[in-house]
Amino acid sequence: KRQQSSTSTAFVLNLEERLLLTNRHCVSHASCIEVRKRGDDQKFEAEVLARATDCDLALLTVRDESFWSGQLTAQRLCESVPALFSEVVCVGYPTGGDNLCV
């Protein structure tokens, strides 16, 4: 099969544990995963730590310490499952680039 390139969104889930959260389908068949910080052109090699097929999530990490320096902040997530029909917010970069959509 011919190689393809794609982009997706990841968020810092935990700074202390150096975890990024993304969608599993974005990394499921990847032979090389590179991440970059918002507004920065430098790419860093990332590694998949875990995949969850039932919720389409994957945990990544970056071994290069310089990725974690600077002004990264972890995203706060809900501590429990929202009640049915609760209002929720979705964020991401569905069209690529550096502009966050909410």
Side-chain angles (χ1 to χ4, degrees):
K1 188 174 180 180
R2 202 172 122 199
Q3 290 185 348
Q4 295 178 314
S5 177
S6 65
T7 60
S8 60
T9 305
F11 295 98
V12 176
L13 182 64
N14 186 307
L15 279 170
E16 291 175 3
E17 296 183 35
R18 299 191 178 326
L19 297 176
L20 301 173
L21 181 67
T22 191
N23 292 106
R24 182 204 57 84
H25 72 267
C26 298
V27 298
S28 60
H29 300 291
S31 58
C32 175
I33 301 169
E34 294 178 317
V35 297
R36 66 178 182 86
K37 298 180 204 177
R38 182 175 186 237
D40 192 345
D41 292 331
Q42 183 178 2
K43 294 179 182 176
F44 297 86
E45 186 176 340
E47 173 185 340
V48 178
L49 298 176
R51 292 180 177 97
T53 55
D54 58 336
C55 57
D56 191 36
L57 294 174
L59 284 175
L60 309 176
T61 193
V62 175
R63 301 285 181 207
D64 188 330
E65 291 295 321
S66 63
F67 175 80
W68 301 101
S69 64
Q71 298 198 8
L72 290 175
T73 56
Q75 299 299 311
R76 289 185 43 205
L77 302 179
C78 186
E79 293 182 10
S80 60
V81 176
L84 192 59
F85 302 113
S86 294
E87 188 173 309
V88 296
V89 176
C90 297
V91 295
Y93 300 87
T95 59
D98 287 330
N99 297 318
L100 182 65
C101 294
V102 178

